């Protein structure tokens, strides 16, 4: 599993001439880093702010951030697996008509699976950004830049997921699958983008307006 | 060293209630992931494109990407160290006037060092984005989404570095240091942002315009 590798090893493997792990796994890792920073802000704030309402609210946000972090980290591996499935499908024999039909079907299934992973990443990014809105509003002022970096990581992960989902969709012939996913991608992308901009604007306002 | 930790451990430590590693180290890691993807695109393209001019150009870009990746990875640790130095300075005794003056000076030095790390990250992000422009123009079409994610990681790292640099600058009383750094930050931020948008626009154009 990629998450068991050292940070250096993961970077080396990314930089190698093997296409996986690539942009999809890196996007999922960025999201995981964003969720981790969200958890950090919750924990630090809870340790410093005795207000019971904030304690209870952040405890619940923390639990959700940690669940999301776990899912994001799983997607680091899932994306690499889904990508390899596409490569494997392309390598299937196509000498007979039957083989060729089987190969085409396998390629289509693999591309669908390789679309579902970044679309799931996008959905989870939308969940994460909703949590980070609370984190950035209730978080201790000393951790606001961390909340900001969390938002930036989720934002970058979202855009990476959009690129990966769209490139896989471009290879899929099932038009209803394409249409449903395209609508979902556009909607999730604009949710995450709009929220990110709003939250970062507020963070900058809280930090730098005197 | 943080890079020797497993990906899981690094995420756990980020998510913990200790403020370091925090947003600064995560930004540096995002940049390192971006440089790693840049190297991957170079290597894959060089393996598939026999054109000698492209081979020579990408070989040179690859060497520079790998050097940058190394520097970015060092900054993951540097940022955490610089942050801890600020905390240590605040913990110095301030019982006598002499102690108080020494503590104030140590805090100022620590904040300057903690500013220099993200400003260096920004400078290196500007170098990286210049390389990624070449990578995205010369890279194999199958790796264009990876080049896109590389740009997204550098873009997020840049914005994270800006947040961290600005929050540290806000604590520094040496106005000429503040002014010089503020000008540099603004200029580097707009360089990276403008280039990122242009490159991502071109990537989307190459990938999705038929």
């Amino acid at each position: 599993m990629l998450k068991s590798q050292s940070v250096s090893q993961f970077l080396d493997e990314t930089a190698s001439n093997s296409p996986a792990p690539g942009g999809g796994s890196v996007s999922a890792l960025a999201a995981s880093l964003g969720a981790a920073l969200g958890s950090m802000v919750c924990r630090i704030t809870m340790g410093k702010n005795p207000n019971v309402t904030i304690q209870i609210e952040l405890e619940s946000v923390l639990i959700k951030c940690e669940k999301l972090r776990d899912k994001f980290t799983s997607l680091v591996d899932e994306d690499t697996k889904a990508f390899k499935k596409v490569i494997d499908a392309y390598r299937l024999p196509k000498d007979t008509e039957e083989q060729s039909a089987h190969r085409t079907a396998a390629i289509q299934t693999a591309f669908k699976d390789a679309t579902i992973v970044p679309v799931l990443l996008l959905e989870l990014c939308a969940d994460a950004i909703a949590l980070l809105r609370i984190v950035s509003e209730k978080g201790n002022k000393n951790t606001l830049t961390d909340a900001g970096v969390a938002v930036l990581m989720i934002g970058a992960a979202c855009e990476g997921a959009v690129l990966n989902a769209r490139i896989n969709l471009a290879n899929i012939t099932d038009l209803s699958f394409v249409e449903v996913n395209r609508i979902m991608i556009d909607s999730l992308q604009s949710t995450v983008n709009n929220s990110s901009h709003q939250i970062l604007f507020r963070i900058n306002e809280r930090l730098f307006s005197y």
Side-chain angles (χ1 to χ4, degrees), chain A:
Chain A
M1 293 221 293
L2 293 167
K3 68 176 176 178
S4 314
Q5 292 183 345
S6 73
V7 171
S8 284
Q9 279 174 321
F10 183 84
L11 286 163
D12 286 346
E13 244 186 71
T14 302
S16 78
N17 67 353
S18 155
S25 290
V26 165
S27 300
L29 179 54
S32 199
L33 288 164
L37 284 172
S39 296
M40 181 187 100
V41 175
C42 289
R43 288 192 167 112
I44 291 176
T45 307
M46 289 161 68
K48 289 189 177 181
N49 192 326
N51 179 308
V52 179
T53 320
I54 288 183
Q55 290 273 343
I56 293 171
E57 188 169 10
L58 290 186
E59 176 69 42
S60 143
V61 171
L62 171 61
I63 291 168
K64 290 175 188 160
C65 273
E66 289 294 84
K67 276 192 188 151
L68 278 176
R69 174 159 78 95
D70 208 42
K71 289 182 187 167
F72 285 138
T73 310
S74 303
L75 290 181
V76 177
D77 270 300
E78 290 304 320
D79 193 273
T80 289
K81 273 187 215 158
F83 182 84
K84 285 182 175 164
K85 219 174 129 184
V86 172
I87 305 285
D88 289 347
Y90 270 108
R91 284 181 185 151
L92 286 172
K94 50 177 178 176
D95 301 327
T96 68
E97 217 165 278
E98 204 179 10
Q99 281 180 343
S100 198
H102 171 70
R103 178 175 172 272
T104 302
I107 289 170
Q108 286 298 308
T109 306
F111 270 122
K112 282 185 179 177
D113 290 349
T115 305
I116 289 166
V117 176
V119 170
L120 178 56
L121 175 55
L122 262 178
E123 284 178 3
L124 299 174
C125 282
D127 294 343
I129 211 78
L131 294 175
L132 290 178
R133 189 186 288 276
I134 305 170
V135 166
S136 66
E137 278 164 10
K138 305 286 161 72
N140 182 287
K141 204 182 167 186
N142 290 339
T143 59
L144 268 186
T145 55
D146 303 297
V149 175
V151 172
L152 291 166
M153 290 302 128
I154 296 296
C158 157
E159 290 301 308
V162 169
L163 271 178
N164 280 295
R166 288 185 69 197
I167 199 66
N168 290 322
L169 271 190
N171 291 288
I172 294 173
T173 52
D174 175 348
L175 293 183
S176 72
F177 180 94
V178 172
E179 199 47 25
V180 166
N181 278 280
R182 202 186 296 281
I183 292 167
M184 200 144 61
I185 291 163
D186 288 351
S187 155
L188 289 165
Q189 181 183 27
S190 77
T191 300
V192 177
N193 275 347
N194 292 340
S195 296
S196 298
H197 289 141
Q198 286 165 10
I199 302 170
L200 286 170
F201 183 84
R202 270 292 288 148
I203 288 176
N204 273 288
E205 213 172 37
R206 275 185 71 191
L207 283 176
F208 305 115
S209 307
Y210 312 107

